[in-house]
Amino acid sequence: MIETPVEIVDDLHRARKLEWWTLAGMASVIAVMAFAMGQSQAMRTAFVEDVLSLVPAITFLIAARFEPRPPSERYPFGFVRVNSLAFFISAVVLTTLGALLLFEGFSTLMKREHVTIPPIELFGQQIWLGWVMIAALAYSVIVPVVLGHLKKPVAQRLQDKVLHTDADMQKADWKTGLAGIVGVLGVGLGFWWADAAAAAAISLSILKDGFKNMRGAAAELLDSVPRALEGTNMAPDARRLRERLEARFPDAHVRLRESGRYILANVGGAEPPDDLPPLGDWMGQDQRWRLAQLSFTPKGCAMSDAMEEKEDENHR
């Protein structure tokens, strides 16, 4: 079992609080968007994206509840990888709905369906519904962008991919708002295709996020090397750890994998020395908690021999 390090307890508490704020703030955004939606497909797509933005927050809160649970008979290693599972679930939801929305947008363009945005009566005055839509879209940008900026540094300190993905999506919400506003204004100016084109552009953004996150989540579940929060390269702290282990055990084979927010290391073909330093000493000062396990596979074990054979093949 990996116990929650004291170094990240405060940040985990702040992350949970931010995700509860997200549920409350995005609920208000969804209500405003539902009120102003009308017949605009761009508005409907932006509305769906706002609903989707609840998925990472919900999965993070569920994962945070399961992660500290002690091991059981059926789950002897505990629930630390529930964070990786939550990351994968949110990515699948994003990808699926992004694809469906993109299909709907292109179908509307192919059918040449003309959308009208009529005037409405508001507080006794006749106004164009498009202005209400634009105001709703502007509000739908402000709330997530602010929350995204608050989450980003916490996600970096926790090395939490779910929280980081959530922050990235919300920080980029201005693109959705801008696309929606352009679509609404385009319809107002007589360009019937502008609304569906804006909806397709928003869908592409959702689909891109979904594919990117699914690739990262699948890699984590398949025990790839610890990846950086942004990109597919090895995380800098994991690279430094591998270099230190290889310098200390030059004839061994060092393997690293990620389990949730933690790194697990194995040194194959070496015995643990008597003067092995504490786990935290292998990491940088800011990331002492990240290395949760360091194991050794002595020379002559099947796993160690298989690693050596693989290494020999790679050098041929």
Side-chain angles (χ1 to χ4, degrees):
M1 175 186 176
I2 302 174
E3 296 184 2
T4 304
V6 295
E7 295 94 331
I8 63 172
V9 168
D10 290 342
D11 279 327
L12 280 172
H13 178 70
R14 178 165 176 75
R16 286 193 290 268
K17 186 185 294 185
L18 285 170
E19 293 296 34
W20 281 113
W21 288 359
T22 297
L23 295 182
M26 293 309 297
S28 71
V29 168
I30 290 167
V32 169
M33 293 290 286
F35 169 76
M37 190 161 43
Q39 297 180 1
S40 168
Q41 188 173 352
M43 286 291 290
R44 287 203 306 273
T45 306
F47 170 79
V48 171
E49 185 183 39
D50 291 330
V51 174
L52 284 176
S53 68
L54 299 177
V55 174
I58 292 171
T59 53
F60 177 87
L61 290 170
I62 293 173
R65 188 172 183 85
F66 274 89
E67 192 176 328
R69 290 191 175 186
S72 65
E73 185 176 349
R74 294 185 65 184
Y75 300 97
F77 292 98
F79 297 88
V80 69
R81 297 193 75 180
V82 73
N83 184 272
S84 304
L85 180 61
F87 185 34
F88 184 74
I89 290 171
S90 62
V92 170
V93 171
L94 274 177
T95 305
T96 304
L97 289 179
L100 291 173
L101 291 170
L102 184 62
F103 174 77
E104 183 182 359
F106 276 115
S107 296
T108 302
L109 285 171
M110 295 297 292
K111 294 175 184 176
R112 300 176 65 85
E113 294 179 3
H114 290 229
V115 175
T116 58
I117 302 179
I120 61 168
E121 186 171 325
L122 192 64
F123 304 116
Q125 300 290 327
Q126 285 279 335
I127 64 169
W128 182 49
L129 179 59
W131 299 123
V132 179
M133 291 178 174
I134 290 171
L137 284 164
Y139 177 67
S140 75
V141 170
I142 294 170
V143 173
V145 166
V146 171
L147 288 168
H149 277 284
L150 292 174
K151 291 175 187 177
K152 200 67 177 283
V154 182
Q156 290 280 1
R157 292 195 296 270
L158 289 174
Q159 289 294 301
D160 192 294
K161 289 184 173 61
V162 177
L163 190 63
H164 185 268
T165 298
D166 192 12
D168 264 353
M169 287 172 54
Q170 293 188 319
K171 280 182 66 179
D173 251 8
W174 63 270
K175 297 177 184 176
T176 297
L178 181 61
I181 290 170
V182 169
V184 171
L185 289 175
V187 172
L189 293 172
F191 300 106
W192 66 267
W193 47 265
D195 184 65
I202 296 170
S203 303
L204 277 173
S205 175
I206 298 172
L207 193 59
K208 178 185 174 185
D209 286 336
F211 272 125
K212 175 185 172 184
N213 299 335
M214 193 187 299
R215 183 175 61 179
E220 189 171 327
L221 289 172
L222 291 171
D223 290 335
S224 78
V225 295
R227 295 189 175 198
L229 289 177
E230 297 179 2
T232 59
N233 296 326
M234 182 183 287
D237 57 349
R239 189 177 299 279
R240 289 193 297 270
L241 170 62
R242 188 175 68 180
E243 289 171 354
R244 289 170 183 169
L245 288 170
E246 287 175 343
R248 178 69 187 273
F249 307 100
D251 298 326
H253 307 285
V254 176
R255 298 184 304 163
L256 306 179
R257 67 181 177 90
E258 206 162 26
S259 184
R261 68 185 88 255
Y262 304 104
I263 294 175
L264 309 181
N266 175 264
V267 181
E271 297 279 355
D274 295 331
D275 59 343
L276 189 68
L279 289 181
D281 290 356
W282 295 100
M283 305 295 293
Q285 187 61 34
D286 294 337
Q287 301 288 335
R288 291 180 60 86
W289 58 271
R290 270 264 276 172
L291 181 59
Q293 184 183 89
L294 175 59
S295 60
F296 290 81
T297 307
K299 203 173 188 64
C301 290
M303 182 180 294
S304 177
D305 293 343
M307 289 161 55
E308 286 187 10
E309 289 176 7
K310 186 66 175 176
E311 188 72 16
D312 291 339
E313 288 177 8
N314 292 336
H315 285 294
R316 286 173 190 162

